[in-house]
Amino acid sequence: MTAPPSRKHSSMWSRNDPAARAMRQRFFWRIGAFFVFLFFFVSAACALAFWIVSGLLDHFDSPRDPRGLIVAFVLIVVGLGVVFRVIGRVAMPVGDVVQAAARVAEGDYATRVRERGPREVRAVARAFNSMAERLQENDEQRRRLLADIAHDLRTPLTVIQGNLEGLLDDVYPRDDAHLQPILDETRVLARLIDDVRTLALAESGALELRKEPTDVATLTRETVASLRAQADAAGVALNVETNCDVALEIDPARIRQVLENLIANALRYTPRDGTIRVACVAENSGVTISIRDTGAGIAPDDLPRIFDRLYKSRDSGGAGLGLAIAKNLVAAHGGEISAQSELGVGTTIRFSLPREKLDADERG
């Protein structure tokens, strides 16, 4: 895996990159030509205004009066000074941004530009630095995600390979006790692949929902029941409370996936003798489902970003796809998801599913 560009080799801007240097030179030639044209235009306008005013005031005896030439020379010098000052304050900082953009286009996301020049130009440089920082962070998260997925794939593959080799070499008897782990690990692989595919489809807007009238209370109870054995094995009390006896037009398989991801995530961080409470409440706008645990909680710095794609907290295990998938699936149904947490107390994740709005024909 290629390492990200080092900050040591990408200072505020590179002066040794031929492509970036050529782009910078073209930019200065063009902006220089513009300012030369602007200078001559302003000089001509000033000269014309000067001769008109001097003629009206009859201040000079003739157009060839030396004082008129002196004034014209002063105007030219002042005009040149203004032009060069504008070039220095505007063109050079913008040129820095142009050159830095070329570096970012080549994959050097550590590139930054110095904020200088007029306020508007500084704002552009600040926005560019913010964009580059975000790109660098996303690139690092992408690399971590690929490494985590590779690790998660390698573990079950190692178990499968080891067991199959043992069976083929007659080291292990070919019974259910040795075949069952192979089946379990293939399910882990299938789940990971399905998670990656679901996240990709949801973020691209290509996820197809198969909506049908669904009793949300029944769906919630069935999902909790399917995870109760896992909770019992972990020594965690898994309780459910359903006050949402209402049918909504949803994709039951996808909402089940949301609940499974959220409850499994709560089980991962809830210690033995802890409690997870799943509640479903009907409201005028739809249904709200909450999953509250008594786990370790989430750090305040991590809490705002736990649903971001590719984001993982420092102590997170696995590929970290569950919450991102839950967010996208809830959003695909037109709902919202949020989290509240306190370190040492626990975490509550809550999501809403709105009622389908009827059009005029359906309302009659």
Side-chain angles (χ1 to χ4, degrees):
M1 186 175 297
T2 305
S6 173
R7 291 180 182 270
K8 179 179 179 181
H9 300 292
S10 61
S11 57
M12 300 301 285
W13 57 81
S14 173
R15 302 183 183 277
N16 299 321
D17 186 358
R21 188 166 58 249
M23 180 182 294
R24 183 186 180 94
Q25 290 173 352
R26 287 196 301 271
F27 170 77
F28 276 117
W29 273 110
R30 291 174 182 174
I31 200 169
F34 168 75
F35 279 117
V36 168
F37 169 78
L38 181 63
F39 165 72
F40 282 111
F41 177 80
V42 172
S43 298
C46 290
L48 179 61
F50 169 77
W51 291 114
I52 291 175
V53 172
S54 64
L56 291 176
L57 298 178
D58 197 21
H59 187 71
F60 300 110
D61 295 334
S62 70
R64 298 181 180 179
D65 192 300
R67 289 175 292 179
L69 296 176
I70 295 175
V71 173
F73 176 76
V74 171
L75 286 175
I76 292 174
V77 172
V78 172
L80 285 173
V82 171
V83 167
F84 285 120
R85 179 172 176 80
V86 171
I87 290 177
R89 284 180 53 81
V90 178
M92 294 186 68
V94 174
D96 295 341
V97 176
V98 170
Q99 188 172 7
R103 297 287 298 172
V104 171
E106 294 174 356
D108 185 0
Y109 302 127
T111 299
R112 301 292 185 271
V113 295
R114 182 158 56 97
E115 298 177 16
R116 57 173 178 164
R119 181 177 58 184
E120 293 78 7
V121 178
R122 292 198 306 271
V124 171
R126 192 177 306 114
F128 175 88
N129 288 337
S130 177
M131 177 198 69
E133 182 177 359
R134 186 67 175 178
L135 288 173
Q136 183 181 20
E137 184 176 350
N138 285 342
D139 184 63
E140 292 173 353
Q141 291 173 358
R142 177 184 61 83
R143 294 172 187 274
R144 287 197 299 268
L145 175 66
L146 292 176
D148 292 337
I149 291 177
H151 176 270
D152 290 346
L153 289 173
R154 187 182 299 111
T155 301
L157 285 174
T158 301
V159 174
I160 293 172
Q161 181 179 352
N163 280 276
L164 288 177
E165 289 176 349
L167 292 173
L168 291 175
D169 295 338
D170 294 327
V171 176
Y172 304 139
R174 301 184 182 185
D175 53 16
D176 292 346
H178 291 88
L179 292 175
Q180 187 63 43
I182 298 176
L183 179 60
D184 292 340
E185 295 302 326
T186 58
R187 288 171 177 166
V188 172
L189 289 176
R191 179 61 180 270
L192 179 60
I193 293 171
D194 185 62
D195 284 349
V196 174
R197 180 176 179 273
T198 299
L199 184 59
L201 289 174
E203 292 192 338
S204 65
L207 181 65
E208 181 181 355
L209 296 179
R210 299 179 180 178
K211 293 185 178 182
E212 59 184 60
T214 304
D215 187 328
V216 181
T218 301
L219 177 64
T220 303
R221 287 194 293 266
E222 290 178 351
T223 305
V224 171
S226 67
L227 293 169
R228 195 174 300 281
Q230 183 178 344
D232 292 341
V236 176
L238 180 57
N239 303 320
V240 60
E241 179 182 345
T242 55
N243 296 318
C244 54
D245 294 326
V246 59
L248 296 181
E249 284 283 339
I250 59 175
D251 185 331
R254 294 303 185 184
I255 298 304
R256 180 187 294 273
Q257 186 177 2
V258 172
L259 284 168
E260 288 175 348
N261 284 350
L262 296 181
I263 296 173
N265 191 71
L267 282 171
R268 186 178 300 115
Y269 295 103
T270 302
R272 181 170 291 274
D273 296 329
T275 301
I276 298 175
R277 178 176 175 271
V278 180
C280 175
V281 179
E283 300 176 345
N284 293 332
S285 58
V287 168
T288 298
I289 301 176
S290 62
I291 297 89
R292 178 178 301 173
D293 64 59
T294 57
I298 303 172
D301 293 340
D302 294 325
L303 186 61
R305 304 191 57 193
I306 61 173
F307 297 108
D308 290 356
R309 64 183 180 92
L310 309 182
Y311 184 79
K312 288 179 56 180
S313 61
R314 301 175 187 87
D315 57 347
S316 177
L321 300 177
L323 294 182
I325 291 173
K327 175 185 176 182
N328 281 277
L329 292 179
V330 170
H333 283 80
E336 296 180 352
I337 190 168
S338 61
Q340 296 176 334
S341 185
E342 184 177 350
L343 287 176
V345 176
T347 301
T348 300
I349 295 182
R350 184 178 289 106
F351 69 93
S352 62
L353 298 173
R355 298 179 187 270
E356 289 288 333
K357 294 182 179 180
L358 302 177
D359 55 28
D361 294 338
E362 291 175 324
R363 287 195 298 264

